[in-house]
Amino acid sequence: MSCVMPVLKRALDRTPLLHLTVAYRGRTRRLALKLEGHGPSGSVKDRSAVGLVRALHEERPLTPGTVVVESTSGNLGLALTRLLRAVDCTFLAVIDLKTPPVTRRMLEADGARVLVVDEPDGQGGYLLSRLRTVRELLARNPGYRWPNQYENWAAPEVHRTTTGPEITQEAGAELDAVYVPVSTGGTLSGIASHLREYRPDVAPVAVDVRGSLAVAGTAGRRLIPGIGASRPSAFLKGADSYDRLVQVDDVEAIAVCRILAEDLGLALGGSSGCAVRAVVADLENDPAPRGLAVCVAADGGAKYRDTLYSDDWASAQGIAEETAAAKARLRREGLFFTRREPHHLEHRHL
Ligand SMILES: Cc1ncc(COP(=O)(O)O)c(C=O)c1O
């Protein structure tokens, strides 16, 4: 009997919420990070991978030896490699030069075949070149299977039924907004569907970087892997898909990552820094006191030690001074993070 469904059933567990207070320009707000880095391969894409592999298997059973190919900035690749290895299939990852070198090494060490695309797509990234490569591979190898994370609704669906409910259950009544970094838009779309049905009072907020076309905007330089895209998300088309978009500057997001690491001793990935930067921007612009903001912290920072957290990398990108200046300015403006107990436990020790 096929082991695919039992493997998928066991693949996911709840991820924790880390409760913080953020101070900025004399204001404070309660903030919680949904730490998706605690997933089995270390990112929010563990969930998407379960949905995508289930959909492939339901369409036509996956048998041992099947090759599955997908374009990935890295995290979905790590998640698919792990899942597919458990069911004796092979994963062929089409990545690009922006994928952190550590991620590439991890993919290979975990048994994936890796193809690196080095042709920029003219839209600030490599996505369109990666997709062209995937289509060429499929044309040459008719037996290959392609989940197509960019258009397959199985990805949003798994976030509607797992990530969304976990957030509303753990955050409770004080939840006010959920900030989600966007690339394919699958994570935000699924969480927003859950909120629309069960907590219509809570705002799903799309977080993107400048230079990305994932939600809106014009193409330009993008430094942070995992967030942004060279074309609009297929999942975020309806008026109900999200409440607001906050577009952040990637250098400022890197500065926020470094400040979080200093204050909490916790390194997060760049897209998490973007989500937190968006909360800070809203804190500045919105004088009304708000409830709890949850940020989807899509992955941890270990993979980015040689890039987002490295001064040498920042110099090589020509952003060392800009990053240091952004960090110094945010500090001068009073940006500071402290850990706190969740609301319902705050008075437990009195
Ligand atoms: C680190 C990170 N953050 C955010 C996202 C965005 O997720 P989605 O593609 O569901 O929009 C991804 C997707 O790869 C990611 O790897």
Side-chain angles (χ1 to χ4, degrees), residues 171-212:
E174 62 165 348
L175 180 63
D176 172 71
V178 183
Y179 290 73
V180 187
V182 170
S183 180
T184 67
T187 309
L188 172 61
S189 166
I191 292 173
S193 301
H194 168 76
L195 294 175
R196 297 303 190 209
E197 191 171 351
Y198 295 99
R199 287 293 301 272
D201 56 314
V202 176
V205 181
V207 179
D208 201 358
V209 274
R210 297 209 180 95
S212 161

Side-chain angles (χ1 to χ4, degrees), residues 24 92 102 115 125 137 171 200 212 245 252 259 268 280 282 287 302 323:
Y24 186 59
L92 171 50
V102 184
L115 215 153
L137 285 165
S212 161
L245 164 67
E252 287 184 350
I259 289 174
L268 296 173
V280 171
D282 278 356
T323 308

Side-chain angles (χ1 to χ4, degrees), residues 8 23 51 55 99 105 124 129 134 148 161 169-170 183 203 275 277:
L8 295 178
T99 304
R105 286 198 293 278
S129 309
V134 168
N148 191 0
T161 55
Q169 280 160 22
E170 289 156 21
S183 180
R277 173 67 187 118

Side-chain angles (χ1 to χ4, degrees), residues 22-338:
V22 49
Y24 186 59
R25 290 186 182 269
R27 297 192 176 123
T28 60
R29 185 167 186 188
R30 281 166 292 157
L31 164 66
L33 305 176
K34 177 81 171 145
L35 296 176
E36 291 297 296
H38 286 242
S41 80
S43 85
V44 72
K45 288 291 187 177
D46 280 309
R47 300 177 191 264
S48 315
V50 166
L52 293 169
V53 170
R54 188 189 294 133
L56 271 190
H57 187 63
E58 283 171 355
E59 184 187 78
R60 184 153 40 92
L62 288 168
T63 50
T66 302
V67 176
V68 175
V69 58
E70 182 61 289
S71 149
T72 166
S73 61
N75 281 336
L76 181 70
L78 291 169
L80 285 174
T81 302
R82 183 183 156 274
L83 269 188
L84 290 167
R85 198 186 49 196
V87 298
D88 294 326
C89 295
T90 301
F91 180 54
L92 171 50
V94 179
I95 60 170
D96 63 57
L97 294 177
K98 253 171 57 182
T99 304
V102 184
T103 305
R104 180 179 171 176
R105 286 198 293 278
M106 283 161 75
L107 284 166
E108 284 168 341
D110 286 354
R113 284 161 54 194
V114 174
L115 215 153
V116 186
V117 167
D118 58 5
E119 192 187 328
D121 62 13
Q123 302 289 328
Y126 294 88
L127 172 61
L128 305 182
S129 309
R130 277 196 259 134
L131 287 172
R132 197 177 51 244
T133 303
V134 168
R135 289 201 175 89
E136 285 165 8
L137 285 165
L138 290 165
R140 282 204 302 276
N141 304 278
Y144 284 11
R145 309 282 304 275
W146 181 31
N148 191 0
Q149 62 157 329
Y150 305 94
E151 291 172 356
N152 190 334
W153 285 88
E157 179 59 16
V158 80
H159 292 287
R160 187 183 72 80
T161 55
T162 68
T163 330
E166 285 178 32
I167 290 173
T168 49
Q169 280 160 22
E170 289 156 21
E174 62 165 348
L175 180 63
D176 172 71
V178 183
Y179 290 73
V180 187
V182 170
S183 180
T184 67
T187 309
L188 172 61
S189 166
I191 292 173
S193 301
H194 168 76
L195 294 175
R196 297 303 190 209
E197 191 171 351
Y198 295 99
R199 287 293 301 272
D201 56 314
V202 176
V205 181
V207 179
D208 201 358
V209 274
R210 297 209 180 95
S212 161
L213 304 176
V215 186
T218 48
R221 176 200 75 175
R222 300 194 302 276
L223 294 168
I224 299 180
I227 188 168
S230 307
R231 65 174 199 187
S233 160
F235 303 125
L236 301 176
K237 296 216 162 112
D240 239 20
S241 321
Y242 59 95
D243 266 23
R244 281 181 304 116
L245 164 67
V246 184
Q247 273 195 310
V248 304
D249 178 83
D250 46 12
V251 169
E252 287 184 350
I254 294 168
V256 167
C257 281
R258 293 179 179 202
I259 289 174
L260 280 161
E262 271 179 16
D263 292 353
L264 306 172
L266 175 73
L268 296 173
S271 76
S272 312
C274 291
V276 175
R277 173 67 187 118
V279 172
V280 171
D282 278 356
L283 189 56
E284 176 173 13
N285 299 330
D286 181 2
R290 297 268 175 187
L292 175 70
V294 167
C295 287
V296 171
D299 64 0
K303 288 194 292 274
Y304 307 106
R305 195 175 304 162
D306 298 336
T307 54
L308 307 178
Y309 290 91
S310 152
D311 290 335
D312 290 344
W313 174 84
S315 299
Q317 303 298 319
I319 58 158
E321 279 173 26
E322 220 185 310
T323 308
K327 183 166 169 251
R329 178 174 45 75
L330 289 165
R331 281 297 198 201
R332 263 198 320 277
E333 291 167 352
L335 183 61
F336 202 80
F337 298 92
T338 42

